[in-house]
Structure formats: structure tokens, C-alpha cells
């Protein structure tokens, strides 16, 4: 077995570990608010998210992936393909180890930022500072502000609206019947546009933006009609009180969480498989291209890894995001999901750097602040932010150490 085949097989193991951590950390965020609001149990969340992420990764995931995450380094500046192969393996392993550490301490971090930081680390050693796209790195730093603040603002606005026009009204049952179908319609419009613009399957349709808006408008109108019918059925009598309102939003929240889980499987599998695809390309062709075909067994490997990660360790991050930052109800949880998903959709289509993890946490903080500063546990929040800031430098340093050791072993 030559060195290329050896690194290919090792990268499959490291890719599975990265996918495992994706499931345990990133993807757990998609179900955290539903669990925190008691719309579903942790066991149900693990089961639903595991299946939907596997389906998203294997059937909706891209069969062509970027080999260098976010284009953070210029591989053409590194002439030896073997060096790139060793570096990509070091980056994959370093990122996986950091996300695993964060998961074991129950704190949510961005796997995208982990892999970007790790690739930056080996790039600095292999090609020097000029090999790194510092503008892209600036965008990553910017996303630490954009993602949580956008999501917090949207979630704050939505929950404030729900409180003002439904929960604080004397005839809140009637108001719920009136407003809930409207929110269902808006949510489905956002989900439709998110599917068309964010998932590889949606992008492959190549719809004109007018057609995309037409599809979203049609589906949201149907959703409004159906929601009006079911809203009347769910709330049986006026005596049920606020619980009737929460029951409506419970159904909506489970729906939005399921969509987020499905789309994360489709999008985030690239974080685990991209570096593996790069190593596969180098092992077979001895050259690295910016894009690589992903054999379907690799997508299955990523999907299985994500599902196993959710099943074994997903409960840790779910508990932190869903329960420890602030107390969630179904109306608050819906606002969190809507805020996070809206942020990812709008910011990414505007070309702004965005993190799903950061948006989810920002949404939770937003609904907490809607009830006052006392409603947010800032000690937990500060620990989370500290891990966010530490992600890129720690992943980079770990990648440098692994890369230097492997390079010494391979070239000595």
C-alpha cells in the first residue's frame, strides 16, 4: 500500500469522525428549541433528526463539493500534491477533535469555522501567509456578529409580535386562530425559498427568481388554507386558555425543526466530505481541483456519521441551547427557529457570511431578551461565545501540530 492509499483510508475514518461531530453538535441545534419547549422529547428529536439528516445528506446533498472549504487557501501556491493531501487530512482530524471537545463539554460551535481554521493552519505552514485568503477570514470573523445578531433581532421581533397580538389580547384564542395561519404561510414561503436557494437539490432546478417566488407564494397560500382549517380543530374551547395557543405553535415548531434538520444534512455534509473528496482526488489523480465529484458511498458515510453522532451525543448540545440559556415555550421556540432559518436564508443570499450554529443561539437569546435581561443566563452565553472565538485559532494550532508531525513522518 502506497502513501496515497494509506491517507485515503485514514481520511475516510477522519471524515466519519467529522460527520459524527456534525451530528452531535451542529445538527443538534436544529432540534434544540423543540426539545427545550417540550414539543418533542430528546429521544424523539434524536430519532427524527437522525433520519432527516441522513436523507438530506444522501439524497439532497451535492454530488460535487468544494475541496477547499470556503476557498480559504489557494492550493495552487503549494506545488506538491502530497503536501496538500497530508494537510487536508491534518485539517480534517484537527477540526473533528475540536468539535468533539466542544460537544463533550455541551457547547455549540461551528463545524464550518473549525474546518476553515484547520485548513488555514496547515496552509500557513505549507505555503506561508500569502496562501491564505484573509478577506475570507475577515468574513468568518464578521459572521460571529452577523449570524447571532440578525437571528436575535428577528426572533425578538416575532416573539414580541406573538405576545402583543395573541398572548396579551383578551380574546387570544380568536387572535391565535387569525394569526397562526398567517405565520404558517410565511414560514412555508421561507422554507420553500430556502430549499430552492440553499440545498443542492433546489439549486439544480435552476429556477428564475420570479418562478421561485411564484412557487413559494402558491405553497404558502395552500398552507394558509390548511392551517386555518386545522387551527379551528386544534383549539376546542375557550377554557383551554393559553395552552391552546401553545398547541398550535407546537405543531409549527416541529415542522420548522424538521426542515432545518433536513437542510442541514444536505448542506453540512460537505464539511465532512469536502476534505475527504480532496484527498480522494489527489490519491487517484495526483492533482487537486477546486471541485470534486463525490462518490455516493462517501455521502452515505457522511449521512451515517451524522445520524450516529445525533444518536450518541446530540442530547448534550440540545440541552444547552434548548434549556440552559433561557426558558422556552412553543411560541418562543417557533420564534427561535424562524429567526435562525430566516437569517441563514437572507444572509447567505446577500453574500454575507453566516453560521447556522451562531444563528440558532442568537435566536434563543433574542426571545429571552424579549422578556428582559433577567431571562437570559449570560454565564452560559459567555462560555459559548468564548468557544466561538477560540474555534479558529485552536483548530489552526491543532492542525499545524498534526501536519508537522505527519510531514516529518512521511518525509523523514
Amino acid at each position: 500500500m502506497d502513501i496515497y492509499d494509506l491517507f485515503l483510508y485514514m481520511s475516510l475514518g477522519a471524515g466519519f469522525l467529522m460527520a459524527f461531530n456534525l451530528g452531535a453538535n451542529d445538527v443538534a441545534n436544529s432540534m434544540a428549541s423543540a426539545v427545550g419547549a417540550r414539543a418533542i422529547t430528546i429521544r424523539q428529536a434524536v430519532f427524527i433528526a437522525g433520519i432527516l439528516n441522513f436523507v438530506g445528506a444522501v439524497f439532497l446533498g451535492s454530488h460535487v463539493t468544494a475541496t477547499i472549504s470556503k476557498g480559504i487557501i489557494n492550493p495552487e501556491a503549494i506545488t506538491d500534491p502530497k503536501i496538500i493531501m497530508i494537510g487536508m487530512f491534518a485539517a480534517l482530524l484537527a477540526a473533528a477533535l475540536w468539535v468533539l471537545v466542544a460537544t463533550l463539554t455541551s457547547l455549540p460551535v461551528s463545524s464550518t469555522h473549525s474546518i476553515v481554521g484547520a485548513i488555514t493552519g496547515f496552509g500557513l505552514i505549507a505555503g506561508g501567509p500569502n496562501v491564505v485568503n484573509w478577506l475570507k477570514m475577515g468574513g468568518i470573523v464578521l459572521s460571529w456578529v452577523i449570524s447571532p445578531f440578525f437571528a436575535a433581532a428577528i426572533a425578538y421581533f416575532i416573539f414580541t409580535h406573538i405576545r402583543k397580538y395573541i398572548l396579551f389580547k383578551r380574546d387570544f384564542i380568536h387572535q391565535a386562530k387569525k394569526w397562526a395561519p398567517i405565520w404558517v404561510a410565511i414560514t412555508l414561503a421561507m422554507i420553500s425559498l430556502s430549499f430552492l436557494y440553499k440545498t443542492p437539490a433546489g439549486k439544480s432546478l435552476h429556477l428564475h427568481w420570479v418562478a421561485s417566488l411564484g412557487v413559494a407564494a402558491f405553497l404558502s397560500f395552500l398552507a394558509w388554507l390548511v392551517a386555518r382549517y386545522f387551527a379551528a380543530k386544534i383549539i376546542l374551547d375557550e377554557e383551554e386558555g393559553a395552552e391552546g395557543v401553545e398547541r398550535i405553535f407546537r405543531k409549527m415548531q416541529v415542522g420548522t425543526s424538521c426542515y432545518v434538520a433536513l437542510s442541514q444534512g444536505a448542506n453540512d455534509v460537505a464539511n465532512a466530505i469536502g476534505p475527504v473528496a480532496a484527498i480522494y482526488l489527489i490519491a487517484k489523480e495526483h492533482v487537486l481541483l477546486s471541485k470534486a465529484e463525490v462518490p455516493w458511498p462517501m455521502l452515505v458515510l457522511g449521512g451515517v456519521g451524522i445520524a450516529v453522532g445525533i444518536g450518541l451525543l446530540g442530547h448534550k448540545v440540545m440541552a444547552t441551547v434548548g434549556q440552559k440559556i433561557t426558558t422556552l415555550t412553543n411560541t418562543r421556540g417557533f420564534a427561535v427557529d424562524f429567526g435562525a432559518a430566516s437569517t441563514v436564508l437572507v444572509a447567505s443570499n446577500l453574500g454575507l457570511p453566516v453560521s447556522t450554529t451562531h444563528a440558532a443561539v442568537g435566536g434563543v437569546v433574542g426571545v429571552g431578551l424579549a422578556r428582559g435581561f433577567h431571562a437570559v443566563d449570560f454565564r452560559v452565553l459567555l462560555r459559548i461565545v468564548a468557544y466561538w472565538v477560540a474555534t479558529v485559532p485552536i483548530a489552526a494550532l491543532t492542525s499545524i501540530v498534526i501536519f508537522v508531525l505527519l510531514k516529518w513522518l512521511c518525509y523523514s
Side-chain angles (χ1 to χ4, degrees):
M1 183 186 294
D2 65 12
I3 190 170
Y4 291 102
D5 288 336
L6 176 64
F7 270 92
L8 175 57
Y9 294 130
M10 289 197 302
S11 73
L12 291 174
F16 182 84
L17 179 62
M18 187 66 197
F20 175 92
N21 291 317
L22 265 169
N25 199 295
D26 278 44
V27 175
N29 291 315
S30 64
M31 290 289 167
S33 61
V35 170
R38 294 180 175 82
I40 51 177
T41 65
I42 284 186
R43 183 174 293 180
Q44 288 171 330
V46 163
F47 180 74
I48 294 168
I51 291 175
L52 289 177
N53 269 273
F54 178 81
V55 171
V58 176
F59 298 105
L60 300 179
S62 178
H63 289 267
V64 179
T65 186
T67 52
I68 304 292
S69 182
K70 304 295 180 188
I72 195 67
I73 66 167
N74 176 18
E76 293 175 3
I78 306 169
T79 54
D80 187 350
K82 193 190 293 184
I83 289 289
I84 300 176
M85 181 179 69
I86 295 169
M88 294 304 287
F89 175 77
L92 191 58
L93 188 57
L97 290 173
W98 169 243
V99 180
L100 180 61
V101 168
T103 303
L104 293 173
T105 52
S106 304
L107 293 173
V109 295
S110 170
S111 62
T112 303
H113 293 182
S114 300
I115 198 72
V116 164
I119 291 174
T120 301
F122 105 78
L124 282 171
I125 299 300
N130 292 333
V131 83
V132 178
N133 187 334
W134 294 108
L135 196 62
K136 289 276 187 182
M137 184 57 72
I140 296 293
V141 174
L142 199 61
S143 75
W144 297 341
V145 178
I146 291 173
S147 303
F149 278 90
F150 265 44
I154 295 171
Y156 179 95
F157 166 76
I158 290 169
F159 182 58
T160 300
H161 182 279
I162 291 169
R163 287 210 304 177
K164 182 177 179 180
Y165 291 97
I166 299 178
L167 298 176
F168 287 177
K169 290 285 187 180
R170 185 169 295 177
D171 58 339
F172 56 81
I173 295 295
H174 170 72
Q175 292 297 321
K177 289 179 180 179
K178 172 186 170 184
W179 281 103
I182 295 172
W183 280 116
V184 168
I186 294 170
T187 300
L188 198 75
M190 181 199 65
I191 286 174
S192 304
L193 291 172
S194 184
F195 175 81
L196 291 171
Y197 284 106
K198 283 293 292 173
T199 64
K203 290 176 183 176
S204 68
L205 297 175
H206 302 295
L207 291 182
H208 189 272
W209 67 269
V210 175
S212 298
L213 287 176
V215 169
F218 175 72
L219 291 175
S220 64
F221 177 69
L222 288 181
W224 178 75
L225 291 175
V226 173
R228 279 193 70 187
Y229 172 79
F230 281 105
K233 296 287 184 182
I234 291 172
I235 302 174
L236 300 175
D237 55 59
E238 299 288 328
E239 294 178 7
E240 194 170 0
E243 178 55 30
V245 179
E246 294 293 338
R247 279 176 62 195
I248 289 183
F249 281 91
R250 188 175 304 149
K251 308 289 184 186
M252 293 161 63
Q253 191 188 1
V254 172
T256 53
S257 294
C258 287
Y259 170 72
V260 172
L262 186 71
S263 65
Q264 275 190 319
N267 291 316
D268 289 2
V269 72
N271 287 332
I273 299 305
V276 180
I279 294 169
Y280 175 80
L281 195 64
I282 294 171
K284 297 301 178 187
E285 308 291 339
H286 293 197
V287 69
L288 178 65
L289 304 175
S290 60
K291 300 279 185 180
E293 289 283 339
V294 181
W296 70 264
M298 280 192 190
L299 288 175
V300 172
L301 181 76
V304 170
I306 289 173
V308 172
I310 297 168
L312 294 182
L313 293 178
H315 63 279
K316 287 180 171 289
V317 171
M318 281 185 201
T320 299
V321 177
Q323 297 168 347
K324 293 181 182 177
I325 299 173
T326 192
T327 304
L328 292 177
T329 60
N330 299 122
T331 46
R332 295 170 199 162
F334 169 75
V336 170
D337 286 345
F338 192 95
S342 301
T343 298
V344 172
L345 175 64
V346 175
S348 59
N349 279 298
L350 289 174
L352 299 172
V354 65
S355 164
T356 307
T357 300
H358 296 182
V361 173
V364 172
V365 174
V367 296
L369 291 176
R371 296 184 298 125
F373 282 90
H374 67 278
V376 177
D377 190 333
F378 284 97
R379 289 173 301 176
V380 174
L381 185 60
L382 285 173
R383 284 185 66 209
I384 291 171
V385 172
Y387 268 59
W388 288 355
V389 174
T391 292
V392 170
I394 287 181
L397 285 171
T398 309
S399 176
I400 287 169
V401 171
I402 296 171
F403 173 67
V404 169
L405 285 172
L406 288 174
K407 185 182 174 185
W408 177 74
L409 286 171
C410 293
Y411 283 84
S412 61

